[in-house]
Amino acid sequence: QAEIVKQEAKTEIWRKLDTLIGSADGKKFRNYAQQFTLDVLLDYANAHLTDLSRRYRLERVKDSLALMVVDQDMGDELRSVHSLSGGESFLVSLALALGLASLSSNRVRVESLFIDEGFGSLDADTLRVAMDALDNLQAQGRKVGVISHVQEMSERIGIQIRVQRQSGGQSRVE
């Protein structure tokens, strides 16, 4: 009987460890760590998103790595990220990219950010907000590269590299 009581005490310790960190493959602990990291990323992303669009805030779905959008103009209604328009999705994606750069800058200085398209889906006001955010990054000493065909952007961006299509499948760089 005394041996059984001792074994039950040891078993209880292992049961508590299993509850905290899961199985030997580490999946449960890995998911917990990823959820924690995503929460930190969302803090950074939401700070950037506030500058881009005060309407939205990102939240993690409890006990998962899925994201929801809080629509603050609609009484904090929770929305799927899939319900965002093209321009809204672009702003949320930009905020996440900037948040990731902020998160990684705790260890490594992220000095360059390249954005490939997405600007064509923005209306004039949203494009201005996005460009202001990119200008702000540049003012902080980061290099921002934008790949775009949007004419309004080429008028606002001072230093450009242009790739001109030539005949025969060739291009010229200016």
Side-chain angles (χ1 to χ4, degrees):
Q1 195 66 356
E3 250 337 277
I4 290 174
V5 169
K6 264 170 79 175
Q7 278 305 112
E8 284 177 345
K10 287 181 181 179
T11 302
E12 184 58 28
I13 291 170
W14 287 108
R15 203 175 286 128
K16 285 180 182 178
L17 281 173
D18 181 56
T19 301
L20 292 173
I21 62 173
S23 61
D25 68 358
K27 182 178 180 183
K28 188 173 185 177
F29 181 72
R30 184 172 53 248
N31 284 344
Y32 174 77
Q34 289 172 339
Q35 289 173 22
F36 178 77
T37 303
L38 182 57
D39 288 340
V40 175
L41 170 62
L42 290 178
D43 286 342
Y44 285 116
N46 281 325
H48 291 289
L49 190 55
T50 298
D51 294 335
L52 297 170
S53 172
R54 295 192 182 279
R55 180 176 181 176
Y56 301 111
R57 187 178 72 245
L58 293 169
E59 285 187 3
R60 181 177 58 81
V61 176
K62 186 172 173 56
D63 297 326
S64 78
L65 297 174
L67 297 179
M68 294 293 285
V69 176
V70 178
D71 191 332
Q72 298 176 120
D73 284 0
M74 299 300 287
D76 288 349
E77 177 184 340
L78 286 175
R79 292 175 46 188
S80 165
V81 292
H82 303 294
S83 71
L84 296 173
S85 70
E88 293 167 333
S89 292
F90 176 79
L91 291 177
V92 167
S93 297
L94 179 58
L96 283 167
L98 296 173
L100 191 57
S102 298
L103 178 67
S104 64
S105 68
N106 289 336
R107 293 188 172 179
V108 176
R109 174 95 171 115
V110 177
E111 295 181 2
S112 300
L113 176 67
F114 288 88
I115 300 173
D116 186 4
E117 278 303 334
F119 294 96
S121 63
L122 303 180
D123 60 49
D125 289 337
T126 309
L127 179 61
R128 182 187 45 75
V129 169
M131 289 299 297
D132 288 345
L134 297 176
D135 285 344
N136 186 31
L137 284 175
Q138 188 176 5
Q140 294 172 14
R142 293 189 175 159
K143 294 171 192 72
V144 179
V146 176
I147 302 166
S148 181
H149 299 94
V150 176
Q151 181 63 33
E152 293 84 6
M153 294 189 72
S154 63
E155 294 169 1
R156 185 161 169 184
I157 297 173
I159 300 172
Q160 300 178 15
I161 298 171
R162 293 181 183 229
V163 179
Q164 301 290 333
R165 187 181 325 183
Q166 305 287 300
S167 61
Q170 301 211 351
S171 299
R172 188 179 86 223
V173 177
E174 302 177 350

